[in-house]
Amino acid sequence: MIRRTQRLKKEYLYRKSLEGKERVNYENKRKIREALQEGKPIPTELRNVEAQLRREIDLEDENTAVPRTHIDDEYAFAAEKDPKILLTTSRNPTAPLQRFVKELSIVFPNAQRMNRGNQVVSEIIESCRSHDFTDVILVHEHRGVPDGLIVSHLPYGPTAYFGLLNVVTRHEIQDKEAVKTMPEAYPHIILDNFNTKLGERTATILKYLFPVPKPDTKRIITFANKSDYISFRHHIHEKQGGPKSVTLKEIGPRFELRLYQIKLGTVDQAEAQTEWVIRPYMNTTRKRKFLSN
Amino acid sequence: MANTNNAGAEALRRLKEVDPPSLLAPNPTLSETARAASQYLFSSIRPFSQKCPLDQLLVDGYDAEQIWHQIDLQTQPLLSTLRRRVNQFVKNPDEIAQLKVPSSVAKKVEAKNHEEWEQESDDFDEELDEDDDDEDDFEGVEKEEKNGGSDGEEEEDDDDDDDEEGSEDEDEDEEGEKEKGKGKDSGIEDKFLKINELNEYLEKEENNYENAEEADDGDEDSEEDDELEKAGEFEMDEDDEDDDEEEDEDDEEEEEEGMENARYDDFFVGKKEKSSKRKDQLVEESEDSGDEDDMESNKQKKRTASTHEKQLEKIQSEIELMEKANVEPKTWSMQGEVTAANRPVDSLLAVNLDFEHNVRPTPVITEEFTASIEDMIQKRIIEGLFNDVQRAPRLPSKAPREVKELDDNKSKKGLAEMYEQEYVQKIDPTSAPLSSKDKLKNEASMLFKRLCLKLDALSHFSFAPKPVIEDMSFQTNVPALAMEEIAPVAVSDAAMLAPEEVFDGKGDVKEEAELTQAERKRRRANKKRKFKADAVKRSEKKARSEKKEDNAIPGQVNG
């Protein structure tokens, strides 16, 4: 079992290393295809490999034509399988944090909450892998206020580290709110203003935490990005009146996420490669936006 | 005129002879004489006092106070003029000879007046030279002087007289005090106080006073006002001082340091140099003004100089402030690195510090922000644009079934041929000719077989060993297990080839270098023997072949 996982990891890394070559291959095939279509002579550097590439072009279908990246591998089966999420906290959580995690477990459909106890992270990941979980979410806190969120996609997938700001839990609103129950239908997702490559990456990480919804659900979860701060909002909408007017009612917790790291491994892999890490002391950080344009 | 003069002189004389105790009781005749005497004196001095608005002393129906006031009106400016003149004469004794006397006055009067002036100036000098603090003494001196001047009113109204005397005394005192200072133990002449300087200053002031009356200059008026204020202040302080000198000093220190409020202590107790500077300025100014002979030009220069000088003063005071600030140690916020020990407690709270932040500030969730988000959400809902996960189209897990088409045509191969092919396939599958399938298909199937073999080997699921193809291939000397198990769990050393196949020989194998002489000989001998045997065989062969050729019948070959 250990060796199997090691082998799979090695395969993954190997395939990632092949991406460069694959990309080159793809480019060459594309050039040849274009040349053939336009009737132009094939570029000289491709003359040797032309015959083989042409055969490959003929044998291609839609799936194989697109160059695959390790990212696609990570979320290859995500579209087909519904996500299964495990929620835990850091060690010795305070009561407010526990409440917050309980709320989050209702927000994410198909999510389970687990007491942390004194488990080591690697143990947690192992058990999750064997139980076919797709994601693990760890929530950290500072004196009762939740301040950190780690989303780890499970089969060797990427880990995204977020900082939480301006957290307003449902418990805080509980006194004023009449509604105490929350619908648990699969929600629609809105991802707004994720324009750059890094933004798209974060968007996919957040998107694949949720299953495929029915088209007529009333529940909406929004991740709105504004100058690198992602606002999480949870609403129920009702289409009242004939004209296209929609009333929104906010339920659920509300917080701002701030991405500070993406690692290309699970949480327990300390030596995993970092895809992106925040640079707060770079001189131009203040002017730049990394998740949007 | 002479009559009145004579009457006046007579009255004066009679007054002088009066017994002092009789002055204490009110006496109408004495008062008459006194009035007459004062009138006479007034008119005799009148020619010399240009500024006096009164031509003669009005005594009928006026009481003591009013008469005193009139006298004051005349004498005050006169006194300052006299002082100045005396100073001038003190400086330049030659001028005394050149002394001009107005022609309207008779010589007798002149002489008499001379005496009186001298007396007055002498008295005055005595006053100056005396060094007692006692106001009573002053009063006494002044009484003497006033007796010489206009007196007699005292017996009329004691209180008024006392007050007036008091005020007179105060006026005198103020001058005296100015000279002496409010110290407890100072004479008139200090190391700081010079009579010359004082006189110069007084001249300057007097000129200002004169100019104020003649000119319309606002500056001069203000100066005069300042002067009068100062005089007023002095009087006030005089009153206080009667009670408590210490209080005065406190008051002085509490007052602003304006020229109006300058006191001796401000200058000479040693603290404040600014005041002394100011005093120097005053002295300088008075000196400057005093040096001019012509009043007019003096006036003119003063006007221009004073505005300029005022500016200078301003700039000078600013410069002083700045120099003072530069000399002092800097405030803590101007020093470089300041720890908590080097600044006062909680002083950092008062200061607005400016830091350059390199991170964008965290967003504050305002109503507008929430509203904007909600607007965006509503828009998306109306349009129906969600970023949901889409179900991916699944790859076909099974290949489409191959539909076998029945060929209705007559088969080209005969039945015998078909049987033949089947037989060959059973015996030797490899040498069988390819069936009439697509070449591509064959290729594909071959590739797939190879792939399956590899996969099976990897997964150990269903392994079939490589099909043995009997062709002439070299057997390589590879470990046997490697051939039979593709994924070697353990690698064995057993070789493919048997040892005899690897090496065909027997016994002890020795190299050329290891051989002994005898062995070498033996080897050579064996070699020779073999060679000879081979040679014999060859020759026999040759012989046989020749014989065959001879025996051969040409043209017919068996076989």
Side-chain angles (χ1 to χ4, degrees), chain B residues 82-110:
Chain B
L82 285 172
R83 267 186 232 117
R84 187 169 57 82
R85 296 298 293 280
V86 165
N87 273 335
Q88 273 183 346
F89 292 145
V90 165
K91 271 191 199 169
N92 316 325
D94 311 324
E95 282 182 22
I96 297 172
Q98 297 163 13
L99 185 64
K100 285 184 188 169
V101 176
S103 54
S104 60
V105 181
K107 276 211 172 176
K108 189 176 70 176
V109 174
E110 189 184 41

Side-chain angles (χ1 to χ4, degrees), chain A residues 63 188-189 282 286 288, chain B residues 357-358 360 387-388 395:
Chain A
N63 278 324
H188 279 302
I189 312 292
M282 194 166 69
R286 204 204 165 103
R288 284 180 68 178
Chain B
H357 298 277
N358 203 24
R360 241 180 266 120
N387 303 83
D388 298 331
L395 290 169

Side-chain angles (χ1 to χ4, degrees), chain B residues 140-162:
Chain B
V141 165
E142 264 144 272
K143 259 192 191 165
E144 249 182 81
E145 204 191 35
K146 287 310 160 199
N147 284 337
S150 58
D151 38 32
E153 280 74 23
E154 295 136 17
E155 64 268 31
E156 279 212 348
D157 199 350
D158 280 347
D159 293 339
D160 289 340
D161 291 345
D162 283 341

